[in-house]
Amino acid sequence: MMYQPYEIEGAERPARFLVTCDHAANTVPDFVNGGGLGLAAADMARHIAYDIGAAGLARALARALECPAILTDFSRLVIDPNRGEDDPTLVMKLYDGTVIPANRHVDADDLARRLNRLYRPYHSALAELAARREDTVIVSVHSFTRQLRGRPPRPWHIGLLYAADTRLALPLLARLRQEPDLCIGENQPYGGHLPSDAIARHGIAYERPNVLIEMRNDLIETPQAQAAWAARLAPILQEVADRAGV
């Protein structure tokens, strides 16, 4: 079977939402350094290589919302689809204290190969899905580690990231803060969006309502936990979108 750098689930589903998962997998295709980045398996299983639990949550959330989902099938360490093509962190050489050996001396040919066979096909497919309806609402699913090396623990269960477009993010933030058992971060654990990232490219550029959801990865490690969180978040997202008129 021919390698595909992304997967689309539920393309025929009718709802206006589109769930995306930019960091769904830790796959290193064979054409990238022979299928490895020079890292130990333990490092490839860490948050530096992909967003742990995010793929399962994205799939479950899309099913609950009755909408499509698109997920990558390559590691963010190979090339990061949530960065612009001119971003210096597009191919990471060091992440959370770990040097990425295969990325230390990436040349122009290798970068072009990764762009043309991974990054650009994903964004083309995402663009096509987002354009299937005029009223698409993009929900980007990510996860974050509870603690970076040498840093204090992060207290948030969920972080909502937004920048220029607040139509969905701010009402969702207010609604989630009504949940008494949750600690919700506003533009945490990262701030807003980067120029030319996936939301800027497919949401903001087309004035599509959007939000990026960051789930703490220890909360969504199992399929059962992913399903439970999807069941909890889907009706809240639907309620907020309806009330906000997006």
Side-chain angles (χ1 to χ4, degrees), residues 129-215:
L129 270 179
R132 81 196 194 288
R133 298 179 53 138
E134 292 184 359
D135 59 349
T136 294
V137 177
I138 296 178
V139 178
S140 183
V141 175
H142 292 249
S143 73
F144 65 95
T145 187
R146 184 165 191 168
Q147 186 172 15
L148 293 170
R149 289 176 173 174
R151 304 285 184 87
R154 292 158 158 172
W156 312 285
H157 299 102
I158 303 173
L160 297 185
L161 274 60
Y162 65 89
D165 187 344
T166 63
R167 287 173 292 170
L168 180 58
L170 287 185
L172 181 59
L173 183 71
R175 173 62 182 82
L176 286 173
R177 283 179 169 166
Q178 295 174 12
E179 300 290 300
D181 60 328
L182 296 182
C183 179
I184 306 298
E186 181 176 3
N187 279 327
Q188 296 288 355
Y190 316 106
H193 294 294
L194 298 169
S196 301
D197 69 8
I199 287 288
R201 183 170 178 171
H202 301 286
I204 293 169
Y206 293 91
E207 299 184 350
R208 294 175 180 131
N210 62 81
V211 67
L212 191 152
I213 298 175
E214 286 272 4
M215 284 289 311

Side-chain angles (χ1 to χ4, degrees), residues 2 8 10 30 32 51 55 58 64 67 74 99 108 116 143 148 150 155 157-158 163 177-178 185 232-233 238:
M2 184 177 177
I8 295 172
D30 289 344
V32 176
D51 282 356
C67 74
F74 54 92
V99 173
N116 291 329
S143 73
L148 293 170
H157 299 102
I158 303 173
R177 283 179 169 166
Q178 295 174 12
R232 183 174 184 177
L233 291 173
Q238 188 69 68

Side-chain angles (χ1 to χ4, degrees), residues 3 5-6 21-29 31-33 36-37 39 44 47-51 71-93 95 100 102-104 106-123 142 196 198 201:
Y3 169 74
Y6 61 86
C21 191
D22 299 326
H23 302 145
N26 59 357
T27 307
V28 181
F31 59 82
V32 176
N33 199 50
L37 296 175
L39 292 174
M44 289 303 298
H47 70 98
I48 63 171
Y50 73 122
D51 282 356
L71 306 94
T72 57
D73 190 21
F74 54 92
S75 173
R76 65 190 298 168
L77 295 180
V78 174
I79 192 166
D80 193 336
N82 197 34
R83 297 290 186 272
E85 291 194 17
D86 59 350
D87 192 302
T89 64
L90 181 66
V91 177
M92 292 288 283
K93 295 177 171 61
Y95 193 4
I100 320 303
N103 291 349
R104 293 183 67 184
V106 171
D107 61 20
D109 289 343
D110 193 17
L111 178 59
R113 189 179 305 111
R114 299 185 195 192
L115 283 166
N116 291 329
R117 298 186 67 173
L118 302 169
Y119 181 104
R120 289 170 179 157
Y122 170 67
H123 280 290
H142 292 249
S196 301
R201 183 170 178 171

